[in-house]
């Protein structure tokens, strides 16, 4: 860190030479970044030419010093007041970029739409920056520094036009034209007139798009030089850097070097490529095209469909150069996409307008509706109320977009509000609370959507919602209603998104388990089971296995309740107990339908299990699930329900037990070096599963871990949760599998013949190389996937 820093900054235009106090010391500053972050600290280094500054932030324990590039900076304010001593006369020969002003109001308008208003003694521009001297009491001022490329417009005093001429942003001829037209538009600022050229009509947009094809191609560097956004020296440095790495675009290099903001690169490229700029708040969006693009797509990419032109879908985006969102839109709409440029905040507002309000806005609207009903009483409000219909649709779309597995609607009696919660990554989170007057209407609306009896409130009901009938989302929901205390009903909705199977190599299996499972499922016949509690990902794993096996030369039948994942090539049957399509009956039918592979969703009774074993013994590969806590327990459970041990032993190929643990958020997880004490604690917990408790065993295991997971210095890095916007402050995002694989070896088959205890099966399986759920989880903690607390939470042993 630099103890003394020389801040080579200009002083106000009319101050006496040397009136400013010595700048040679670390300065208290407030730094605002483009991402909205505000940093207070000491400015220890500031190089305008190099495009970098350093700020030291001190907390109760230590000081953290961070370098910031100019491209990251929105503005910088020096917080130490300086004395302003006006000169006796205006300085002769002053820099022609220094405007000699009295105390004047100033207004800065940033490209992100925010504004700053205050009073200044004057300003000075140097290269692409503006220095503003903000007035303080007793003839003092604060020095504020703003890069010009973060401003869309600025005004200081009444002389904005002359200012633009003096700073080479505007020619004298253009200024005179602007002033002449301003005589007819006195209500508009001249800055607004000179910058107001965005498209506001379909006709203007079509004309601009037709000109786009004949626009001359201009290189980015030439465009930035022409607009005086960068200097020739800066361009030369960037081009030299690009010669070292041809894969990196020039714009990215300029941003990385701190010469220009990313927002400016986007707008310059758009302008030089002839991409139209649309004033979205004034543009008439075609409602028909809104229905062509699903809400989750526009929200994910912050884009807004506008209209169709020449069979192309015209879409507003804040980054028309980025092809990722364009390709995603083309895939979902099956149309060619024509991107145009609009402000990010304008796009977000348009999405809000055309795709529906935020859920809290709808809930507030319901509150207002209730207040307007002078005699509103319990259950009186209509289930077809437009606001309520929009809210239910919005609730389902948000649950899908947020990756929720379940929606819980929880009404309470009396005047208590109805709470709606989402289950995400295994935990429930409150989504919204609604007025009590709407609870019956809400439940009735959900029943109507899945064709249940709205008059029946005394007993549970089950149904399904095909959401394609109500919104632009290919989604099914399994619905269960249950009467609860106080004469109300709860509703739980399970989201059944018909997605593609996860490839087996993406399941998070260790190399050893992956190899063993591949060897198991290559067998032409036998029984392979996946066990675990509800919601542990058993069906996902089975479909990954089926995806590995799915070939044109094989016939695969599945019996599922419900069908959550679909695959081309599989013949999938939905179980329906009401018409006697049970797992057992489906299995019997499969045996008459020439199968190679059979997957049955669950072996929940002796009959289904017995038919499954018979099928596996007659030349078929059978896959199924069980609700048991571990792989050895699965074997004993099937024996307990009455299976013949000899047939079962002959059929068994293996059992995979699994759990889902929370994955650390990749964006905010914090690294820390694992101490010897922590590694020894992990080793003790790992070996406790196998009764290994000696110090030598611990040391040998830690040595293996360091060989597998340590860096070049022999250090193992562990991670802990922090919390950020990406993970909603939880520190975790997503889940991954923790596995325990028991292989049906000859020794295991002998134990099945003898109806051995769980402990005996466990002991032999461990000797043959099985890792327990806890051991597998500890290894994945050392890999950086999660922290030990999450493994302990899901592994009971």
């Amino acid at each position: 860190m630099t103890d003394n820093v020389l801040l080579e900054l200009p002083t106000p235009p009319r101050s006496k030479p040397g009136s400013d106090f010595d700048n040679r010391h670390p300065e208290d500053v407030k730094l605002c970044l483009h991402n909205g972050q505000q940093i207070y600290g000491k400015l220890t280094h500031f190089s305008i030419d190099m495009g970098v500054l350093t700020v030291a932030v001190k907390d109760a324990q230590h000081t953290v010093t961070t370098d910031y590039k100019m491209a990251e900076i929105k503005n910088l304010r020096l917080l130490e007041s300086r004395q302003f001593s006006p000169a006796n006369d205006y300085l002769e020969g002053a820099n022609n970029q220094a405007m000699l002003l009295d105390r004047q109001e100033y207004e800065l308008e940033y490209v992100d739409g925010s504004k700053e208003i205050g009073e200044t003694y004057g300003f000075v521009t140097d290269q692409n920056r503006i220095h503003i001297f903000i007035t303080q009491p007793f003839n003092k001022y604060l020095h504020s520094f703003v890069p010009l490329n973060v401003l869309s417009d600025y005004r200081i005093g009444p002389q904005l036009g002359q200012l633009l001429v003096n700073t080479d942003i505007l020619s004298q001829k253009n200024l005179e034209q602007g002033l002449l037209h301003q005589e007819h538009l006195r209500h508009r600022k001249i800055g607004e007139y000179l910058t107001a050229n965005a498209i506001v009509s379909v006709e203007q947009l079509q004309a601009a798009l037709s000109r786009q094809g004949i626009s001359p191609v201009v290189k980015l560097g030439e465009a930035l030089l022409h607009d005086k956004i960068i200097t020739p020296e800066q361009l030369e440095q960037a081009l030299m850097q690009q010669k070292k790495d041809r894969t990196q675009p020039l714009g990215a290099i300029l941003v990385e070097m701190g010469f220009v903001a990313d927002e400016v690169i986007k707008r310059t490229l758009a302008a030089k490529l002839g991409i139209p700029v649309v004033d979205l708040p004034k543009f008439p969006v075609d409602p028909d095209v809104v229905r062509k693009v699903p809400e989750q797509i526009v929200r994910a990419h912050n884009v807004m469909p506008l209209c169709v032109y020449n069979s192309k879908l015209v879409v507003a985006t804040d980054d028309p150069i980025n092809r990722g969102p364009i390709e995603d839109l083309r895939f979902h709409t099956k149309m060619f996409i024509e991107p145009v440029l609009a402000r990010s905040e304008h796009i977000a507002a348009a999405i809000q307008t055309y795709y529906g309000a935020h859920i809290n806005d709808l809930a507030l609207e319901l509150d207002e509706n209730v207040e307007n009903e002078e005699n509103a009483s319990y259950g009186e409000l209509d289930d077809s109320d437009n606001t309520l219909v929009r809210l239910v649709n919005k609730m389902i779309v948000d649950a899908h977009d947020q990756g929720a597995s379940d929606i819980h609607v929880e009404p309470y009696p009396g005047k208590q509000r109805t709470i709606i919660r989402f289950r995400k990554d295994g935990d429930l989170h409150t989504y919204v609370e609604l007025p009590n007057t709407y609870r019956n209407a809400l439940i009735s609306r959900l029943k109507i959507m899945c064709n249940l009896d709205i008059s029946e409130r005394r007993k549970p009901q089950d149904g399904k919602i095909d959401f394609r009938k109500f919104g632009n989302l290919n989604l099914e929901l399994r619905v269960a209603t249950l009467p609860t205390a106080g004469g109300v009903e709860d509703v739980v909705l399970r989201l059944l998104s018909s997605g593609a199977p996860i490839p087996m190599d993406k399941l998070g299996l260790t190399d050893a388990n992956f190899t063993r499972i591949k060897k198991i499922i290559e067998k032409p016949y036998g029984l392979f089971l996946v066990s675990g509690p509800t919601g542990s990902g058993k069906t996902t794993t089975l479909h990954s296995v089926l995806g590995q096996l799915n070939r044109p030369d094989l016939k695969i039948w599945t019996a599922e309740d419900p069908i959550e994942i679909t695959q081309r090539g599989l013949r999938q049957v939905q179980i329906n107990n009401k018409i006697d399509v049970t797992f057992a009956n489906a299995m019997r039918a499969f045996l008459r339908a020439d199968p190679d592979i059979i997957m049955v969703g669950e072996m929940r009774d002796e009959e289904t299990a017995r038919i499954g074993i018979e099928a596996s013994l007659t030349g078929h590969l059978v896959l199924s699930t069980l609700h048991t806590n571990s792989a050895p327990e699965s074997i004993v459970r099937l024996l307990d329900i009455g299976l013949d041990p000899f047939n079962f032993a002959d059929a068994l190929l293996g059992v995979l037990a699994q759990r889902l643990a929370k994955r650390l958020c990749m964006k905010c997880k914090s690294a820390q070096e694992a101490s010897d004490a922590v590694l020894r604690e992990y080793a003790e917990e790992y070996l406790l599963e196998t009764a290994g408790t000696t110090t030598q065993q611990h040391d040998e295991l830690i040595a293996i871990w360091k060989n597998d997971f340590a860096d070049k210095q022999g250090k193992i890095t562990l991670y802990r949760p922090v919390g950020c916007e990406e993970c909603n402050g939880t520190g975790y995002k997503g889940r991954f599998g923790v596995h325990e694989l028991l292989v049906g070896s000859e020794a295991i088959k002998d134990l099945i013949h003898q109806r051995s205890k769980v402990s005996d099966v466990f002991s032999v399986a461990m000797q043959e190389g099985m890792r327990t759920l806890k051991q597998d989880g500890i290894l994945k903690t050392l890999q950086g996937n999660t922290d030990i607390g999450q493994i302990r939470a899901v592994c009971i042993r």
Side-chain angles (χ1 to χ4, degrees):
M1 182 188 301
T2 305
D3 292 329
N4 291 305
V5 56
L6 179 59
L7 304 181
E8 298 178 351
L9 300 175
T11 55
R14 297 190 297 113
S15 61
K16 290 180 179 178
S19 63
D20 192 21
F21 61 79
D22 185 15
N23 286 329
R24 193 181 293 273
H25 66 283
E27 178 95 25
D28 288 320
V29 295
K30 173 186 175 183
L31 180 64
C32 296
L33 305 182
H34 288 298
N35 61 10
Q37 186 179 4
Q38 296 186 357
I39 298 154
Y40 292 85
K42 293 280 188 182
L43 181 65
T44 60
H45 178 71
F46 187 16
S47 173
I48 292 179
D49 294 333
M50 296 298 293
V52 67
L53 59 83
T54 305
V55 176
V57 178
K58 185 176 182 181
D59 58 22
Q61 297 180 339
H62 56 279
T63 301
V64 177
T65 302
T66 307
D67 291 334
Y68 297 95
K69 296 176 180 176
M70 290 300 176
E72 301 178 73
I73 297 170
K74 182 176 178 181
N75 62 55
L76 171 71
R77 181 169 297 184
L78 310 182
L79 298 179
E80 296 184 32
S81 295
R82 289 161 161 74
Q83 187 69 41
F84 176 71
S85 300
N88 295 329
D89 299 306
Y90 286 173
L91 299 177
E92 295 292 336
N95 186 331
N96 63 5
Q97 290 185 316
M99 303 299 297
L100 308 182
L101 304 175
D102 296 322
R103 293 167 66 113
Q104 298 283 351
E105 286 188 358
Y106 73 89
E107 179 177 348
L108 308 180
E109 183 175 347
Y110 293 89
V111 294
D112 62 7
S114 60
K115 290 185 178 182
E116 178 184 333
I117 300 174
E119 190 178 63
T120 177
Y121 282 118
F123 71 94
V124 172
T125 60
D126 56 12
Q127 294 184 11
N128 299 310
R129 290 158 285 272
I130 182 169
H131 302 265
I132 299 176
F133 309 99
I134 302 170
T135 59
Q136 297 284 291
F138 308 110
N139 291 330
K140 292 188 175 182
Y141 68 90
L142 297 180
H143 192 128
S144 182
F145 165 99
V146 182
L148 281 173
N149 59 23
V150 306
L151 298 175
S152 60
D153 198 3
Y154 61 101
R155 176 181 61 82
I156 300 179
Q159 300 176 337
L160 176 59
Q162 191 60 49
L163 168 64
L164 295 175
V165 172
N166 289 352
T167 54
D168 293 329
I169 296 175
L170 183 70
S171 69
Q172 184 67 37
K173 180 179 179 181
N174 287 339
L175 171 64
E176 292 170 357
Q177 292 175 349
L179 290 171
L180 179 63
H181 193 75
Q182 191 183 37
E183 291 299 320
H184 305 287
L185 301 169
R186 296 304 300 174
H187 63 286
R188 297 177 65 186
K189 298 176 186 177
I190 185 171
E192 293 176 352
Y193 166 70
L194 292 168
T195 60
N197 58 356
I199 291 167
V200 297
S201 70
V202 175
E203 292 75 19
Q204 290 178 340
L205 180 58
Q206 291 176 347
L209 290 172
S210 66
R211 292 193 299 269
Q212 185 178 356
I214 59 173
S215 298
V217 177
V218 181
K219 293 183 179 180
L220 175 63
E222 295 174 358
L224 295 172
L225 279 178
H226 179 270
D227 292 345
K228 298 189 177 181
I229 295 172
I230 61 172
T231 65
E233 293 77 15
Q234 290 172 334
L235 177 59
E236 184 177 353
Q237 290 180 44
L239 290 172
M240 289 179 63
Q241 180 66 28
Q242 192 181 37
K243 289 180 181 178
K244 300 176 184 178
D245 183 5
R246 291 290 185 184
T247 63
Q248 197 171 13
L250 178 62
I253 295 173
L254 288 166
V255 172
E256 179 69 22
M257 297 180 78
F259 295 152
V260 65
D262 185 51
E263 179 73 20
V264 176
I265 292 290
K266 292 178 187 177
R267 290 182 174 271
T268 302
L269 281 171
K272 300 311 174 185
L273 292 173
I275 297 175
V277 179
V278 174
D279 187 350
L280 201 48
K282 299 177 182 177
F283 190 89
V285 175
D286 183 352
D288 289 336
V289 304
V290 174
R291 289 188 283 271
K292 294 180 183 293
V293 186
E295 180 179 1
Q296 65 269 25
I297 299 297
V298 300
R299 290 191 184 277
H301 297 305
N302 196 40
V303 296
M304 185 64 206
L306 302 181
C307 60
V308 174
Y309 173 69
N310 280 352
S311 301
K312 295 180 180 180
L313 181 64
V314 181
V315 177
T317 171
D318 64 346
D319 187 5
I321 312 304
N322 185 359
R323 299 302 304 175
I326 304 303
E327 292 303 316
D328 198 14
L329 282 164
R330 185 177 65 82
F331 175 79
H332 281 88
T333 61
K334 313 301 182 190
M335 297 180 68
F336 287 104
I337 307 300
E338 188 74 68
V340 298
L341 182 64
R343 284 190 176 185
S344 177
E345 62 273 19
H346 290 170
I347 296 171
I351 293 172
Q352 190 84 341
T353 299
Y354 289 95
Y355 283 92
H358 189 275
I359 191 68
N360 291 327
D361 298 329
L362 293 171
L364 181 62
E365 193 174 331
L366 286 183
D367 276 330
E368 293 171 351
N369 290 348
V370 171
E371 291 173 3
N372 293 334
E373 293 283 342
E374 295 182 0
N375 300 313
S377 60
Y378 174 80
E380 185 176 290
L381 296 172
D382 188 0
D383 55 63
S384 63
D385 179 273
N386 181 56
T387 304
L388 181 65
V389 171
R390 289 163 55 210
L391 183 141
V392 171
N393 291 351
K394 178 69 175 170
M395 171 186 76
I396 293 172
V397 170
D398 283 354
H400 176 269
D401 290 348
Q402 293 177 28
S405 60
D406 301 86
I407 303 170
H408 290 251
V409 181
E410 302 169 339
Y412 289 86
K415 295 187 177 180
Q416 299 180 74
R417 298 170 72 82
T418 295
I419 298 174
I420 298 176
R421 299 194 289 172
F422 290 170
R423 186 177 295 279
K424 295 186 289 187
D425 294 336
D427 293 336
L428 284 169
H429 303 273
T430 298
Y431 171 63
V432 73
E433 296 184 8
L434 303 178
N436 68 290
T437 319
Y438 271 84
R439 62 172 164 247
N440 275 10
L442 174 62
I443 304 301
S444 295
R445 175 61 188 168
L446 291 170
K447 286 182 177 180
I448 289 169
M449 293 174 73
C450 54
N451 297 316
L452 296 181
D453 185 356
I454 64 173
S455 64
E456 179 56 72
R457 300 178 182 174
R458 298 170 300 171
K459 63 182 183 181
Q461 297 185 72
D462 296 323
K464 280 188 178 180
I465 296 175
D466 183 354
F467 194 67
R468 288 174 297 183
K469 299 176 182 177
F470 307 97
N472 295 321
L473 197 59
N474 184 17
L475 177 68
E476 270 195 342
L477 299 100
R478 184 175 61 190
V479 182
T481 70
L482 299 94
T484 50
V488 296
E489 288 180 282
D490 276 34
V491 180
V492 179
L493 302 93
R494 166 66 60 90
L495 279 71
L496 310 173
S497 184
S498 299
I502 299 172
M504 267 189 65
D505 58 359
K506 303 296 184 184
L507 285 176
L509 294 162
T510 61
D511 291 342
N513 284 343
F514 182 74
T515 301
R516 288 180 177 182
I517 291 177
K518 282 191 69 176
K519 194 172 182 180
I520 286 172
I521 63 177
E522 286 171 358
K523 301 285 180 67
Y525 58 88
L527 176 66
F528 179 66
L529 301 171
V530 179
S531 72
T534 300
S536 60
K538 300 185 296 296
T539 301
T540 299
T541 297
L542 281 184
H543 269 280
S544 295
V545 171
L546 290 175
Q548 184 82 12
L549 297 170
N550 192 1
R551 303 194 309 266
D553 60 322
L554 294 177
K555 183 62 175 270
I556 303 176
W557 287 98
T558 76
E560 303 172 70
D561 185 26
I563 298 173
E564 298 185 44
I565 299 172
T566 58
Q567 296 191 54
R568 183 174 178 82
L570 271 57
R571 310 313 298 158
Q572 298 176 263
V573 174
Q574 171 67 54
I575 296 303
N576 188 342
N577 292 318
K578 293 180 181 179
I579 58 174
D580 207 28
V581 182
T582 63
F583 283 117
N585 288 340
M587 291 276 285
R588 289 192 188 94
F590 291 165
L591 292 175
R592 298 189 295 270
D594 188 28
D596 292 297
I597 299 171
I598 295 172
M599 191 271 272
V600 56
E602 184 181 346
M603 286 190 171
R604 54 178 67 165
D605 54 44
E606 186 269 341
E607 184 181 17
T608 306
R610 180 176 51 79
I611 298 171
I613 288 173
E614 289 175 0
S616 65
L617 292 174
T618 55
H620 309 98
L621 180 61
V622 178
L623 314 175
S624 189
T625 70
L626 277 174
H627 285 134
T628 51
N629 290 322
S630 68
E633 285 181 37
S634 302
I635 291 175
V636 177
R637 171 73 59 83
L638 288 173
L639 291 173
D640 288 344
I641 66 175
L643 291 184
D644 178 77
F646 292 93
N647 286 343
F648 180 31
D650 289 345
L652 183 66
L653 296 175
V655 182
L656 179 72
Q658 70 177 54
R659 299 290 187 277
L660 292 179
K662 292 182 182 178
R663 187 186 299 276
L664 286 166
C665 175
M666 301 303 292
K667 188 173 182 180
C668 68
K669 67 178 183 179
S670 175
Q672 56 187 19
E673 182 185 319
S675 65
D676 291 340
V678 169
L679 290 177
R680 189 162 296 278
E681 177 189 343
Y682 281 20
E684 289 176 1
E685 194 164 355
Y686 186 97
L687 291 172
L688 191 63
E689 303 282 287
T690 56
T693 57
T694 68
T695 302
Q696 182 180 353
Q697 288 174 313
H698 295 165
D699 292 341
E700 290 174 353
L701 181 60
I702 291 172
I704 293 172
W705 287 350
K706 287 188 175 181
N707 182 66
D708 292 342
F709 305 115
D711 57 21
K712 293 180 180 179
Q713 287 73 40
K715 302 295 184 182
I716 293 178
T717 301
L718 298 176
Y719 295 87
R720 62 180 181 84
V722 177
C724 64
E725 278 190 20
E726 189 76 15
C727 60
N728 293 323
T730 65
Y732 303 94
K733 187 171 183 181
R735 292 188 289 177
F736 65 95
V738 179
H739 305 97
E740 175 181 286
L741 178 63
L742 180 151
V743 178
S745 64
E746 290 303 319
I748 294 294
K749 292 177 187 292
D750 288 342
L751 293 176
I752 295 175
H753 291 158
Q754 302 165 25
R755 293 181 177 272
S756 299
K757 297 183 295 184
V758 172
S759 57
D760 295 334
V761 177
F762 175 79
S763 178
V764 171
M766 293 297 292
Q767 292 173 20
E768 294 183 340
M770 182 182 82
R771 282 199 187 103
T772 67
L773 291 165
K774 174 72 73 66
Q775 290 175 336
D776 192 61
I778 290 174
L779 293 179
K780 287 169 180 174
T781 299
L782 296 172
Q783 291 173 347
N785 292 323
T786 190
D787 61 289
I788 192 65
Q790 291 303 313
I791 298 303
R792 290 167 179 160
V794 299
C795 301
I796 59 173
R797 190 187 296 121

